[in-house]
Amino acid sequence: MKFIIKLHPEITIKSKSVRQRMSKILQGNIRNVLKPLDEHVKIRADWDKLVLRSNILTEEHRAAMIAALACIPGIQSFLEVKEYQVTTLDEILELTQAMFGDRLAGKTFCVRAKRRGQQSFSSLDVERYVGGGLNQRCATGGVRLKNPDLQINLELDGDRLFLVSGQHAGLGGFPIATQESVLSLMSGGYDSGVASYQFIKRGSRVHYCFFNLGGREHEAGVREVVHYLWKKYGASHRVKFISVPFEGVVAEILDKIDKGHMGVVLKRMMMRAGAAVAEKLDIRALVTGESMGQVSSQTVTNLNVIDRVTDTLILRPLIAADKQDIIDQARQIGTAAYAEKMPEYCGVISQKPTIKADLAKVEAEEARFDFGVLDTAIQASFVEDVRDLARAWTLPEVEFSEAAGNDEVILDIRAPEEEEEAPLQVDGHQVLHLPFFKLAHQFGELDSSKTYLLYCARGVMSRLQAIHLKEQGFDNVKVYKP
């Protein structure tokens, strides 16, 4: 089994030394990816292409090789080639007809031959003999040397004939590790998945940082999409997944920061933490999926205020992309299926967020913030090898209830302003209010003899918090969905 791999055009226009370096890195990447399929695969480099050979000839192996090669950055396209031993022009014609005869019906065509080694005939002899023979034997639309419907490419090397049986599109871009590493701030949604993919394709080793705002189920979903991205497009290199516990940071923001500035301050805290994680890993840039104007924190003014918090370079590949275009690309690369089922969890939602934050006002707000909480979160960051993310997380089952029983207390976990605007009242039952950002620390102080039904507007936050409490050992918790 043979494949001719065409390099991405941007590689071929580099200087000789750069092209050779990128080609060598690509060879290593291909070997790493294909090793589980064929550890003895052979790869040879030519000027603008690589030639790959595998001695495993099953159809299953062929399909797996094609699927893997199609997702390796740096490959523009690749040709699937079949090899035969020949000595005469008649043998070449017979083999070519067997492969292409059915495709020629009613179509114009031409034959192009390349020849190396010693034969008794020239490339032009091959083109004329095979072309004339196919035109006589098959119901073609005739020979056309310019712009034919089908061009048949033959390659001869001594007594070996190579016929191109298929052409496949590659990913393009640069081979991974030809560019510097980046740290992607990963939420698991459409945007961060596409942004991460674009840097994988551009040749960076992409490491991933997830800020856990309070939901283990959310982290489980993010772990799935990160492992998918790495396995499908970046498996040639090991990368890391870092989870930063941000529940305490969220609680501190809700307690200390003006409502209009909460979103901007949260992003600034994430950039601080991301920069600290990147520095530990010797990474020089952060990647986000932010797009201008998509949400209130992503105006030009707010992004400028957010960026002032660190000297680390912040890269935003989607900054001018439309949301639908991002979703379309997510579907194309396979991350949309994960984004669609990703639980939405945002612990900081302001009803009137500022779209033109003033840096001085933001810094004044942050002066009330206890940065020891942020330092604790950074120190508690958990680093894993991306290969370990394939382990399935078993999340505890959460029971839902439409009505409260005699020994059950309804616990409203909405933010204070949301609860004040629309107080929850249930006839004949006690309703307590304990904001979600205080729940982890204060739930243990409640009467353990009672069962608590967590309530929020959509049931998303209450379910995530119920899972979190169950993992801490509290079994007296359910989700209230009247």
Side-chain angles (χ1 to χ4, degrees):
M1 187 179 300
K2 176 181 176 182
F3 295 96
I4 297 175
I5 298 169
K6 301 291 186 179
L7 305 181
H8 179 56
E10 284 189 69
I11 300 174
T12 63
I13 63 174
K14 301 290 185 184
S15 66
K16 181 179 180 180
S17 61
V18 173
R19 185 179 65 253
Q20 289 177 336
R21 179 178 68 86
M22 288 189 170
S23 179
K24 186 175 181 179
I25 290 173
L26 180 56
Q27 288 181 67
N29 292 354
I30 294 172
R31 284 194 181 94
N32 289 342
V33 172
L34 298 185
K35 189 174 181 179
L37 301 176
D38 181 2
E39 60 180 350
H40 301 297
V41 68
K42 295 179 180 179
I43 306 173
R44 171 174 58 85
D46 282 343
W47 175 262
D48 63 345
K49 64 180 179 291
L50 303 175
V51 180
L52 183 152
R53 291 179 180 275
S54 174
N55 292 326
I56 305 175
L57 304 178
T58 66
E59 180 60 29
E60 183 182 7
H61 179 69
R62 169 188 167 272
M65 294 279 280
I66 291 171
L69 290 171
C71 294
I72 298 176
I75 297 176
Q76 183 68 13
S77 62
F78 54 101
L79 305 176
E80 188 178 359
V81 178
K82 292 197 174 180
E83 180 179 339
Y84 305 93
Q85 191 167 10
V86 296
T87 56
T88 68
L89 289 172
D90 279 331
E91 289 176 325
I92 297 173
L93 172 58
E94 292 291 340
L95 291 167
T96 305
Q97 181 182 352
M99 180 173 291
F100 293 99
D102 293 341
R103 305 187 210 174
L104 289 171
K107 294 182 180 179
T108 60
F109 76 101
C110 72
V111 177
R112 300 297 183 194
K114 291 183 179 180
R115 186 178 62 87
R116 290 191 299 271
Q118 296 296 321
Q119 295 102 5
S120 60
F121 40 77
S122 68
S123 297
L124 187 58
D125 291 335
V126 175
E127 292 174 358
R128 288 174 173 172
Y129 191 89
V130 174
L134 291 174
N135 198 37
Q136 289 179 353
R137 298 182 180 190
C138 306
T140 74
V143 175
R144 180 187 294 170
L145 299 181
K146 291 186 177 180
N147 301 319
D149 296 326
L150 178 64
Q151 178 172 306
I152 298 173
N153 297 308
L154 310 180
E155 187 176 335
L156 291 155
D157 188 351
D159 63 352
R160 291 179 298 168
L161 169 67
F162 300 98
L163 290 175
V164 177
S165 59
Q167 181 169 347
H168 307 277
L171 203 62
F174 288 136
I176 293 177
T178 58
Q179 309 302 314
E180 293 177 82
S181 298
V182 298
L183 180 66
S184 176
L185 307 187
M186 191 73 175
S187 70
Y190 294 104
D191 306 334
S192 58
V194 171
S196 300
Y197 162 80
Q198 290 190 0
F199 272 89
I200 295 173
K201 181 179 175 182
R202 200 59 186 166
S204 290
R205 289 177 67 179
V206 177
H207 302 267
Y208 302 89
C209 183
F210 169 66
F211 297 105
N212 194 328
L213 305 183
R216 184 172 165 86
E217 187 181 37
H218 188 181
E219 180 168 345
V222 173
R223 291 165 67 92
E224 282 187 342
V225 69
V226 165
H227 187 267
Y228 167 84
L229 274 171
W230 169 78
K231 185 70 174 177
K232 190 168 182 68
Y233 302 107
S236 58
H237 289 76
R238 297 181 183 180
V239 298
K240 298 187 181 302
F241 175 80
I242 303 94
S243 177
V244 185
F246 241 51
E247 302 99 319
V249 175
V250 169
E252 185 71 5
I253 289 174
L254 288 165
D255 194 39
K256 303 284 182 65
I257 304 301
D258 172 74
K259 293 181 179 61
H261 293 90
M262 286 181 178
V264 171
V265 170
L266 177 62
K267 286 294 182 68
R268 280 167 62 91
M269 296 300 169
M270 288 180 173
M271 297 307 169
R272 285 186 173 100
V277 171
E279 185 176 6
K280 289 180 182 179
L281 299 176
D282 195 27
I283 295 173
R284 308 300 172 85
L286 306 178
V287 172
T288 82
E290 292 165 311
S291 175
M292 186 167 61
Q294 193 173 114
V295 296
S296 61
S297 64
Q298 295 174 20
T299 63
V300 171
T301 299
N302 286 355
L303 291 174
N304 181 37
V305 170
I306 291 167
D307 285 6
R308 299 291 188 90
V309 80
T310 178
D311 292 330
T312 303
L313 178 64
I314 301 173
L315 300 170
R316 297 181 172 95
L318 309 182
I319 192 64
D322 292 338
K323 187 66 175 184
Q324 189 58 52
D325 293 337
I326 297 170
I327 293 173
D328 290 344
Q329 186 166 21
R331 291 190 177 122
Q332 177 186 342
I333 65 176
T335 58
Y338 297 93
E340 287 164 359
K341 66 179 183 180
M342 195 69 61
E344 294 183 15
Y345 183 94
C346 183
V348 175
I349 301 174
S350 178
Q351 295 178 351
K352 294 183 180 180
T354 180
I355 59 173
K356 290 189 176 181
D358 179 84
L359 180 60
K361 290 181 180 179
V362 170
E363 289 175 340
E365 289 292 324
E366 289 182 344
R368 297 196 292 271
F369 186 92
D370 180 3
F371 280 90
V373 175
L374 180 64
D375 294 338
T376 299
I378 295 170
Q379 292 300 318
S381 300
F382 186 68
V383 182
E384 291 182 82
D385 188 306
V386 71
R387 295 172 298 176
D388 296 332
L389 303 186
R391 299 193 313 266
W393 273 16
T394 303
L395 298 174
E397 293 292 329
V398 175
E399 185 179 346
F400 288 79
S401 180
E402 296 181 357
N406 293 332
D407 293 325
E408 295 179 334
V409 177
I410 298 172
L411 194 60
D412 188 344
I413 66 168
R414 292 177 296 170
E417 62 271 16
E418 189 178 358
E419 190 273 336
E420 290 173 5
E421 184 174 331
L424 177 65
Q425 295 181 345
V426 180
D427 292 340
H429 286 282
Q430 181 183 10
V431 178
L432 298 181
H433 181 238
L434 182 60
F436 65 92
F437 55 89
K438 295 182 179 180
L439 196 61
H441 300 291
Q442 297 185 16
F443 187 81
E445 301 173 7
L446 299 176
D447 184 353
S448 59
S449 66
K450 296 185 179 298
T451 297
Y452 295 90
L453 277 57
L454 307 190
Y455 171 80
C456 69
R458 293 188 299 166
V460 175
M461 190 180 297
S462 54
R463 180 171 180 268
L464 294 175
Q465 289 295 336
I467 290 173
H468 194 47
L469 289 171
K470 278 184 169 289
E471 287 180 331
Q472 291 180 334
F474 296 104
D475 292 325
N476 58 333
V477 60
K478 298 179 184 179
V479 174
Y480 181 54
K481 291 199 71 173

